[in-house]
Amino acid sequence: KADLVIFPEYYPFNDGISLAPDIKECEEKLCGIADPSLPPFVAGGYVKENNSLRNSCWLFSNNKIISGPYYKQCGYFEENEPENKYFINKGDQLLKFSLENFSFIPLICADAFEYNGKTLEAFSANLKKAGCGSQTPVIVISCARAPLGKGWTSRLKSIARAASAPVVFCNYSG
C-alpha cells in the first residue's frame, strides 16, 4: 500500500470559472472519496471561492481534510490574463502539509519555476520559514508533460540546494 498519492495539477477539477465547483463542494467531494482504506492523497484543481477562480490543492485522508487548501501563487499563461476564463486569484503563503510521520511543502507548477515571483534567495527563505528542510521536502505538483526541459531541471536543483531540501516533481507520468 502506498504511503501517499500525489495527483497531478488540476486533478480532478480542471474547468474554467463557469464550470469550476465551489470550494466547499470540492472539499466535500474529495473528503467523500478519501476512504480510510485508501492511502492519503493530494488533489485539487480549479475551484471557485467568492466568485474568483483558484488553482488549489489539499491533503486528504480518512474522509477529512488534513491540510490545505494551498493556493497557487504564480499563474501560467492564461492564469495571468484577467479576461481569460482560467484567470486565477493567487495565493500568498506557503503551507506545510503533514501526516503522522511525514511533512512536505506543496508547490503548484509555476510556483517552483517562477520561485513564487521572488528571487531564489527570498523564495528559499520563505520555504525554510514554512518548515522546509532535509526532512521536509518540496513536492511540486504539475501538469507539465516535459518537466525536464525548458529550464525545469536547473530550477528544481536550485531550489533543492538553496532550501537544503529534497525536491520531488509529480506530473502525469509520475
Side-chain angles (χ1 to χ4, degrees), residues 119-163:
T119 65
L120 176 60
E121 294 75 23
F123 182 50
S124 64
N126 286 345
L127 285 168
K128 289 177 182 178
K129 185 177 177 183
C132 185
S134 62
Q135 300 299 309
T136 305
V138 172
I139 296 183
V140 181
I141 303 157
S142 180
C143 68
R145 289 177 181 87
L148 300 181
K150 299 184 182 177
W152 270 110
T153 302
S154 62
R155 295 287 179 145
L156 298 174
K157 285 180 180 178
S158 295
I159 293 169
R161 281 192 294 271

mmCIF file of all heavy atoms in Angstrom, residues 119-163:
data_model
loop_
_atom_site.group_PDB
_atom_site.id
_atom_site.type_symbol
_atom_site.label_atom_id
_atom_site.label_comp_id
_atom_site.label_asym_id
_atom_site.label_seq_id
_atom_site.Cartn_x
_atom_site.Cartn_y
_atom_site.Cartn_z
ATOM 1 N N THR A 119 13.094 36.323 -5.791
ATOM 2 C CA THR A 119 14.441 35.848 -6.080
ATOM 3 C C THR A 119 14.591 34.467 -5.456
ATOM 4 O O THR A 119 13.843 34.105 -4.535
ATOM 5 C CB THR A 119 15.509 36.782 -5.485
ATOM 6 O OG1 THR A 119 15.400 36.744 -4.054
ATOM 7 C CG2 THR A 119 15.357 38.212 -5.997
ATOM 8 N N LEU A 120 15.543 33.704 -5.909
ATOM 9 C CA LEU A 120 15.778 32.381 -5.338
ATOM 10 C C LEU A 120 16.063 32.483 -3.837
ATOM 11 O O LEU A 120 15.558 31.682 -3.049
ATOM 12 C CB LEU A 120 16.931 31.677 -6.055
ATOM 13 C CG LEU A 120 17.340 30.315 -5.494
ATOM 14 C CD1 LEU A 120 16.177 29.329 -5.543
ATOM 15 C CD2 LEU A 120 18.544 29.775 -6.249
ATOM 16 N N GLU A 121 16.818 33.483 -3.439
ATOM 17 C CA GLU A 121 17.167 33.641 -2.024
ATOM 18 C C GLU A 121 15.927 33.919 -1.179
ATOM 19 O O GLU A 121 15.733 33.310 -0.118
ATOM 20 C CB GLU A 121 18.199 34.778 -1.846
ATOM 21 C CG GLU A 121 19.549 34.473 -2.466
ATOM 22 C CD GLU A 121 19.563 34.593 -3.999
ATOM 23 O OE1 GLU A 121 18.706 35.296 -4.590
ATOM 24 O OE2 GLU A 121 20.424 33.941 -4.618
ATOM 25 N N ALA A 122 15.069 34.830 -1.623
ATOM 26 C CA ALA A 122 13.846 35.137 -0.881
ATOM 27 C C ALA A 122 12.896 33.940 -0.875
ATOM 28 O O ALA A 122 12.266 33.635 0.143
ATOM 29 C CB ALA A 122 13.153 36.361 -1.492
ATOM 30 N N PHE A 123 12.815 33.246 -1.999
ATOM 31 C CA PHE A 123 11.953 32.082 -2.105
ATOM 32 C C PHE A 123 12.421 30.972 -1.159
ATOM 33 O O PHE A 123 11.625 30.392 -0.414
ATOM 34 C CB PHE A 123 11.933 31.588 -3.553
ATOM 35 C CG PHE A 123 11.034 30.417 -3.812
ATOM 36 C CD1 PHE A 123 9.716 30.414 -3.383
ATOM 37 C CD2 PHE A 123 11.505 29.320 -4.509
ATOM 38 C CE1 PHE A 123 8.884 29.334 -3.639
ATOM 39 C CE2 PHE A 123 10.682 28.233 -4.772
ATOM 40 C CZ PHE A 123 9.362 28.248 -4.333
ATOM 41 N N SER A 124 13.720 30.687 -1.148
ATOM 42 C CA SER A 124 14.230 29.633 -0.271
ATOM 43 C C SER A 124 14.070 30.022 1.204
ATOM 44 O O SER A 124 13.785 29.168 2.040
ATOM 45 C CB SER A 124 15.679 29.276 -0.593
ATOM 46 O OG SER A 124 16.533 30.360 -0.366
ATOM 47 N N ALA A 125 14.214 31.303 1.526
ATOM 48 C CA ALA A 125 13.981 31.761 2.904
ATOM 49 C C ALA A 125 12.522 31.515 3.296
ATOM 50 O O ALA A 125 12.238 31.076 4.419
ATOM 51 C CB ALA A 125 14.342 33.239 3.049
ATOM 52 N N ASN A 126 11.583 31.780 2.376
ATOM 53 C CA ASN A 126 10.168 31.521 2.657
ATOM 54 C C ASN A 126 9.897 30.028 2.818
ATOM 55 O O ASN A 126 9.092 29.621 3.662
ATOM 56 C CB ASN A 126 9.277 32.090 1.555
ATOM 57 C CG ASN A 126 9.163 33.597 1.620
ATOM 58 O OD1 ASN A 126 9.511 34.207 2.622
ATOM 59 N ND2 ASN A 126 8.699 34.202 0.555
ATOM 60 N N LEU A 127 10.542 29.205 1.992
ATOM 61 C CA LEU A 127 10.388 27.750 2.131
ATOM 62 C C LEU A 127 10.868 27.290 3.504
ATOM 63 O O LEU A 127 10.195 26.507 4.183
ATOM 64 C CB LEU A 127 11.154 27.014 1.031
ATOM 65 C CG LEU A 127 10.538 27.041 -0.362
ATOM 66 C CD1 LEU A 127 11.542 26.535 -1.398
ATOM 67 C CD2 LEU A 127 9.261 26.213 -0.409
ATOM 68 N N LYS A 128 12.029 27.785 3.918
ATOM 69 C CA LYS A 128 12.574 27.407 5.225
ATOM 70 C C LYS A 128 11.670 27.895 6.354
ATOM 71 O O LYS A 128 11.445 27.175 7.329
ATOM 72 C CB LYS A 128 13.993 27.948 5.388
ATOM 73 C CG LYS A 128 14.997 27.231 4.503
ATOM 74 C CD LYS A 128 16.373 27.842 4.623
ATOM 75 C CE LYS A 128 17.359 27.150 3.695
ATOM 76 N NZ LYS A 128 18.697 27.766 3.758
ATOM 77 N N LYS A 129 11.133 29.088 6.210
ATOM 78 C CA LYS A 129 10.222 29.627 7.227
ATOM 79 C C LYS A 129 8.964 28.760 7.347
ATOM 80 O O LYS A 129 8.410 28.587 8.428
ATOM 81 C CB LYS A 129 9.844 31.066 6.859
ATOM 82 C CG LYS A 129 9.006 31.771 7.889
ATOM 83 C CD LYS A 129 8.740 33.208 7.482
ATOM 84 C CE LYS A 129 7.830 33.892 8.473
ATOM 85 N NZ LYS A 129 7.512 35.255 8.061
ATOM 86 N N ALA A 130 8.524 28.181 6.230
ATOM 87 C CA ALA A 130 7.343 27.307 6.233
ATOM 88 C C ALA A 130 7.654 25.924 6.799
ATOM 89 O O ALA A 130 6.748 25.126 7.020
ATOM 90 C CB ALA A 130 6.781 27.182 4.820
ATOM 91 N N GLY A 131 8.945 25.629 7.012
ATOM 92 C CA GLY A 131 9.314 24.351 7.610
ATOM 93 C C GLY A 131 10.064 23.412 6.696
ATOM 94 O O GLY A 131 10.322 22.267 7.053
ATOM 95 N N CYS A 132 10.435 23.873 5.524
ATOM 96 C CA CYS A 132 11.160 23.047 4.558
ATOM 97 C C CYS A 132 12.576 22.784 5.053
ATOM 98 O O CYS A 132 13.190 23.638 5.673
ATOM 99 C CB CYS A 132 11.192 23.799 3.225
ATOM 100 S SG CYS A 132 11.916 22.880 1.889
ATOM 101 N N GLY A 133 13.070 21.582 4.779
ATOM 102 C CA GLY A 133 14.435 21.234 5.161
ATOM 103 C C GLY A 133 14.747 19.814 4.770
ATOM 104 O O GLY A 133 13.998 19.189 4.011
ATOM 105 N N SER A 134 15.816 19.274 5.304
ATOM 106 C CA SER A 134 16.273 17.944 4.891
ATOM 107 C C SER A 134 15.237 16.849 5.160
ATOM 108 O O SER A 134 15.189 15.855 4.451
ATOM 109 C CB SER A 134 17.592 17.602 5.572
ATOM 110 O OG SER A 134 17.418 17.554 6.977
ATOM 111 N N GLN A 135 14.390 17.028 6.164
ATOM 112 C CA GLN A 135 13.359 16.044 6.490
ATOM 113 C C GLN A 135 11.974 16.450 5.989
ATOM 114 O O GLN A 135 11.009 15.702 6.151
ATOM 115 C CB GLN A 135 13.299 15.816 8.003
ATOM 116 C CG GLN A 135 14.598 15.305 8.586
ATOM 117 C CD GLN A 135 15.006 13.973 8.007
ATOM 118 O OE1 GLN A 135 14.220 13.032 7.969
ATOM 119 N NE2 GLN A 135 16.234 13.884 7.522
ATOM 120 N N THR A 136 11.871 17.639 5.416
ATOM 121 C CA THR A 136 10.590 18.148 4.901
ATOM 122 C C THR A 136 10.804 18.626 3.473
ATOM 123 O O THR A 136 11.202 19.766 3.240
ATOM 124 C CB THR A 136 10.059 19.300 5.787
ATOM 125 O OG1 THR A 136 9.977 18.836 7.133
ATOM 126 C CG2 THR A 136 8.686 19.759 5.338
ATOM 127 N N PRO A 137 10.548 17.751 2.498
ATOM 128 C CA PRO A 137 10.811 18.097 1.097
ATOM 129 C C PRO A 137 9.784 19.054 0.501
ATOM 130 O O PRO A 137 8.720 19.298 1.065
ATOM 131 C CB PRO A 137 10.729 16.735 0.390
ATOM 132 C CG PRO A 137 9.780 15.953 1.227
ATOM 133 C CD PRO A 137 10.032 16.394 2.645
ATOM 134 N N VAL A 138 10.135 19.561 -0.652
ATOM 135 C CA VAL A 138 9.209 20.304 -1.506
ATOM 136 C C VAL A 138 8.637 19.285 -2.488
ATOM 137 O O VAL A 138 9.385 18.516 -3.089
ATOM 138 C CB VAL A 138 9.939 21.419 -2.290
ATOM 139 C CG1 VAL A 138 9.017 22.044 -3.324
ATOM 140 C CG2 VAL A 138 10.492 22.459 -1.348
ATOM 141 N N ILE A 139 7.321 19.264 -2.633
ATOM 142 C CA ILE A 139 6.692 18.424 -3.651
ATOM 143 C C ILE A 139 6.003 19.352 -4.642
ATOM 144 O O ILE A 139 5.099 20.101 -4.271
ATOM 145 C CB ILE A 139 5.708 17.408 -3.051
ATOM 146 C CG1 ILE A 139 6.467 16.424 -2.155
ATOM 147 C CG2 ILE A 139 4.968 16.665 -4.164
ATOM 148 C CD1 ILE A 139 5.630 15.327 -1.546
ATOM 149 N N VAL A 140 6.465 19.318 -5.894
ATOM 150 C CA VAL A 140 5.913 20.156 -6.953
ATOM 151 C C VAL A 140 4.865 19.337 -7.705
ATOM 152 O O VAL A 140 5.165 18.289 -8.258
ATOM 153 C CB VAL A 140 7.009 20.638 -7.917
ATOM 154 C CG1 VAL A 140 6.410 21.532 -9.004
ATOM 155 C CG2 VAL A 140 8.114 21.372 -7.161
ATOM 156 N N ILE A 141 3.644 19.845 -7.700
ATOM 157 C CA ILE A 141 2.520 19.183 -8.353
ATOM 158 C C ILE A 141 2.280 19.899 -9.671
ATOM 159 O O ILE A 141 2.058 21.107 -9.684
ATOM 160 C CB ILE A 141 1.267 19.258 -7.457
ATOM 161 C CG1 ILE A 141 1.574 18.631 -6.093
ATOM 162 C CG2 ILE A 141 0.075 18.596 -8.130
ATOM 163 C CD1 ILE A 141 0.676 19.125 -4.990
ATOM 164 N N SER A 142 2.339 19.165 -10.774
ATOM 165 C CA SER A 142 2.304 19.817 -12.079
ATOM 166 C C SER A 142 1.497 19.024 -13.089
ATOM 167 O O SER A 142 1.208 17.843 -12.900
ATOM 168 C CB SER A 142 3.739 19.977 -12.592
ATOM 169 O OG SER A 142 3.753 20.593 -13.854
ATOM 170 N N CYS A 143 1.160 19.697 -14.168
ATOM 171 C CA CYS A 143 0.556 19.018 -15.317
ATOM 172 C C CYS A 143 1.546 19.011 -16.478
ATOM 173 O O CYS A 143 1.235 18.550 -17.560
ATOM 174 C CB CYS A 143 -0.741 19.692 -15.727
ATOM 175 S SG CYS A 143 -0.492 21.328 -16.425
ATOM 176 N N ALA A 144 2.751 19.519 -16.246
ATOM 177 C CA ALA A 144 3.759 19.595 -17.311
ATOM 178 C C ALA A 144 4.086 18.201 -17.824
ATOM 179 O O ALA A 144 4.318 17.286 -17.053
ATOM 180 C CB ALA A 144 5.023 20.279 -16.794
ATOM 181 N N ARG A 145 4.080 18.059 -19.123
ATOM 182 C CA ARG A 145 4.361 16.750 -19.712
ATOM 183 C C ARG A 145 5.851 16.547 -19.996
ATOM 184 O O ARG A 145 6.285 15.451 -20.228
ATOM 185 C CB ARG A 145 3.554 16.585 -20.991
ATOM 186 C CG ARG A 145 2.078 16.424 -20.680
ATOM 187 C CD ARG A 145 1.245 16.328 -21.948
ATOM 188 N NE ARG A 145 -0.161 16.197 -21.614
ATOM 189 C CZ ARG A 145 -0.976 17.214 -21.407
ATOM 190 N NH1 ARG A 145 -0.530 18.442 -21.486
ATOM 191 N NH2 ARG A 145 -2.241 17.005 -21.110
ATOM 192 N N ALA A 146 6.614 17.623 -19.970
ATOM 193 C CA ALA A 146 8.054 17.527 -20.227
ATOM 194 C C ALA A 146 8.802 18.333 -19.170
ATOM 195 O O ALA A 146 9.422 19.343 -19.461
ATOM 196 C CB ALA A 146 8.368 18.042 -21.626
ATOM 197 N N PRO A 147 8.743 17.900 -17.899
ATOM 198 C CA PRO A 147 9.299 18.712 -16.821
ATOM 199 C C PRO A 147 10.813 18.851 -16.843
ATOM 200 O O PRO A 147 11.338 19.728 -16.207
ATOM 201 C CB PRO A 147 8.854 17.959 -15.566
ATOM 202 C CG PRO A 147 8.722 16.545 -16.015
ATOM 203 C CD PRO A 147 8.214 16.640 -17.434
ATOM 204 N N LEU A 148 11.491 17.999 -17.556
ATOM 205 C CA LEU A 148 12.947 18.083 -17.520
ATOM 206 C C LEU A 148 13.512 18.974 -18.614
ATOM 207 O O LEU A 148 14.708 19.122 -18.740
ATOM 208 C CB LEU A 148 13.545 16.680 -17.572
ATOM 209 C CG LEU A 148 13.093 15.799 -16.402
ATOM 210 C CD1 LEU A 148 13.731 14.429 -16.495
ATOM 211 C CD2 LEU A 148 13.400 16.437 -15.070
ATOM 212 N N GLY A 149 12.642 19.606 -19.400
ATOM 213 C CA GLY A 149 13.079 20.542 -20.415
ATOM 214 C C GLY A 149 12.802 21.965 -19.977
ATOM 215 O O GLY A 149 12.330 22.223 -18.887
ATOM 216 N N LYS A 150 13.125 22.889 -20.836
ATOM 217 C CA LYS A 150 12.803 24.313 -20.657
ATOM 218 C C LYS A 150 13.212 24.870 -19.291
ATOM 219 O O LYS A 150 12.492 25.627 -18.673
ATOM 220 C CB LYS A 150 11.314 24.547 -20.901
ATOM 221 C CG LYS A 150 10.892 24.173 -22.305
ATOM 222 C CD LYS A 150 9.449 24.486 -22.557
ATOM 223 C CE LYS A 150 9.082 24.056 -23.960
ATOM 224 N NZ LYS A 150 7.698 24.246 -24.261
ATOM 225 N N GLY A 151 14.340 24.452 -18.784
ATOM 226 C CA GLY A 151 14.850 25.035 -17.553
ATOM 227 C C GLY A 151 14.383 24.395 -16.263
ATOM 228 O O GLY A 151 14.831 24.785 -15.187
ATOM 229 N N TRP A 152 13.504 23.416 -16.343
ATOM 230 C CA TRP A 152 12.978 22.807 -15.114
ATOM 231 C C TRP A 152 14.082 22.184 -14.263
ATOM 232 O O TRP A 152 14.113 22.372 -13.047
ATOM 233 C CB TRP A 152 11.919 21.753 -15.434
ATOM 234 C CG TRP A 152 10.531 22.286 -15.502
ATOM 235 C CD1 TRP A 152 9.765 22.414 -16.624
ATOM 236 C CD2 TRP A 152 9.733 22.762 -14.423
ATOM 237 N NE1 TRP A 152 8.542 22.950 -16.308
ATOM 238 C CE2 TRP A 152 8.499 23.170 -14.960
ATOM 239 C CE3 TRP A 152 9.936 22.900 -13.054
ATOM 240 C CZ2 TRP A 152 7.471 23.689 -14.177
ATOM 241 C CZ3 TRP A 152 8.918 23.419 -12.278
ATOM 242 C CH2 TRP A 152 7.705 23.812 -12.836
ATOM 243 N N THR A 153 14.959 21.419 -14.878
ATOM 244 C CA THR A 153 15.981 20.711 -14.108
ATOM 245 C C THR A 153 16.820 21.683 -13.290
ATOM 246 O O THR A 153 17.021 21.492 -12.087
ATOM 247 C CB THR A 153 16.881 19.868 -15.031
ATOM 248 O OG1 THR A 153 16.048 18.949 -15.740
ATOM 249 C CG2 THR A 153 17.913 19.097 -14.237
ATOM 250 N N SER A 154 17.283 22.753 -13.914
ATOM 251 C CA SER A 154 18.121 23.703 -13.183
ATOM 252 C C SER A 154 17.327 24.424 -12.100
ATOM 253 O O SER A 154 17.857 24.684 -11.014
ATOM 254 C CB SER A 154 18.767 24.704 -14.137
ATOM 255 O OG SER A 154 17.790 25.471 -14.795
ATOM 256 N N ARG A 155 16.071 24.737 -12.354
ATOM 257 C CA ARG A 155 15.241 25.398 -11.333
ATOM 258 C C ARG A 155 15.049 24.500 -10.123
ATOM 259 O O ARG A 155 15.171 24.938 -8.980
ATOM 260 C CB ARG A 155 13.863 25.772 -11.902
ATOM 261 C CG ARG A 155 13.877 26.798 -12.984
ATOM 262 C CD ARG A 155 14.177 28.159 -12.418
ATOM 263 N NE ARG A 155 14.207 29.123 -13.486
ATOM 264 C CZ ARG A 155 13.791 30.360 -13.372
ATOM 265 N NH1 ARG A 155 13.308 30.805 -12.244
ATOM 266 N NH2 ARG A 155 13.870 31.180 -14.391
ATOM 267 N N LEU A 156 14.704 23.245 -10.356
ATOM 268 C CA LEU A 156 14.460 22.315 -9.253
ATOM 269 C C LEU A 156 15.733 22.057 -8.450
ATOM 270 O O LEU A 156 15.698 22.015 -7.219
ATOM 271 C CB LEU A 156 13.863 21.014 -9.776
ATOM 272 C CG LEU A 156 12.492 21.161 -10.460
ATOM 273 C CD1 LEU A 156 12.060 19.831 -11.067
ATOM 274 C CD2 LEU A 156 11.440 21.692 -9.506
ATOM 275 N N LYS A 157 16.871 21.932 -9.140
ATOM 276 C CA LYS A 157 18.143 21.753 -8.446
ATOM 277 C C LYS A 157 18.485 22.992 -7.624
ATOM 278 O O LYS A 157 18.989 22.878 -6.500
ATOM 279 C CB LYS A 157 19.265 21.462 -9.438
ATOM 280 C CG LYS A 157 19.232 20.063 -9.990
ATOM 281 C CD LYS A 157 20.390 19.853 -10.968
ATOM 282 C CE LYS A 157 20.383 18.453 -11.545
ATOM 283 N NZ LYS A 157 21.477 18.263 -12.516
ATOM 284 N N SER A 158 18.219 24.170 -8.169
ATOM 285 C CA SER A 158 18.494 25.417 -7.438
ATOM 286 C C SER A 158 17.663 25.498 -6.168
ATOM 287 O O SER A 158 18.165 25.901 -5.114
ATOM 288 C CB SER A 158 18.198 26.635 -8.320
ATOM 289 O OG SER A 158 19.063 26.684 -9.411
ATOM 290 N N ILE A 159 16.398 25.128 -6.263
ATOM 291 C CA ILE A 159 15.528 25.137 -5.078
ATOM 292 C C ILE A 159 16.055 24.157 -4.043
ATOM 293 O O ILE A 159 16.145 24.482 -2.851
ATOM 294 C CB ILE A 159 14.070 24.805 -5.460
ATOM 295 C CG1 ILE A 159 13.474 25.930 -6.305
ATOM 296 C CG2 ILE A 159 13.226 24.569 -4.209
ATOM 297 C CD1 ILE A 159 12.144 25.577 -6.957
ATOM 298 N N ALA A 160 16.410 22.948 -4.480
ATOM 299 C CA ALA A 160 16.902 21.928 -3.554
ATOM 300 C C ALA A 160 18.151 22.409 -2.813
ATOM 301 O O ALA A 160 18.260 22.262 -1.590
ATOM 302 C CB ALA A 160 17.186 20.631 -4.303
ATOM 303 N N ARG A 161 19.088 22.994 -3.549
ATOM 304 C CA ARG A 161 20.323 23.483 -2.922
ATOM 305 C C ARG A 161 20.039 24.649 -1.981
ATOM 306 O O ARG A 161 20.504 24.666 -0.849
ATOM 307 C CB ARG A 161 21.335 23.895 -3.985
ATOM 308 C CG ARG A 161 22.074 22.713 -4.615
ATOM 309 C CD ARG A 161 23.265 23.181 -5.450
ATOM 310 N NE ARG A 161 22.845 23.940 -6.616
ATOM 311 C CZ ARG A 161 22.562 23.410 -7.798
ATOM 312 N NH1 ARG A 161 22.654 22.115 -7.983
ATOM 313 N NH2 ARG A 161 22.193 24.169 -8.808
ATOM 314 N N ALA A 162 19.269 25.623 -2.444
ATOM 315 C CA ALA A 162 19.027 26.834 -1.652
ATOM 316 C C ALA A 162 18.200 26.551 -0.397
ATOM 317 O O ALA A 162 18.416 27.172 0.639
ATOM 318 C CB ALA A 162 18.334 27.889 -2.510
ATOM 319 N N ALA A 163 17.256 25.617 -0.487
ATOM 320 C CA ALA A 163 16.402 25.310 0.658
ATOM 321 C C ALA A 163 16.941 24.149 1.495
ATOM 322 O O ALA A 163 16.349 23.793 2.511
ATOM 323 C CB ALA A 163 14.988 24.981 0.177
#
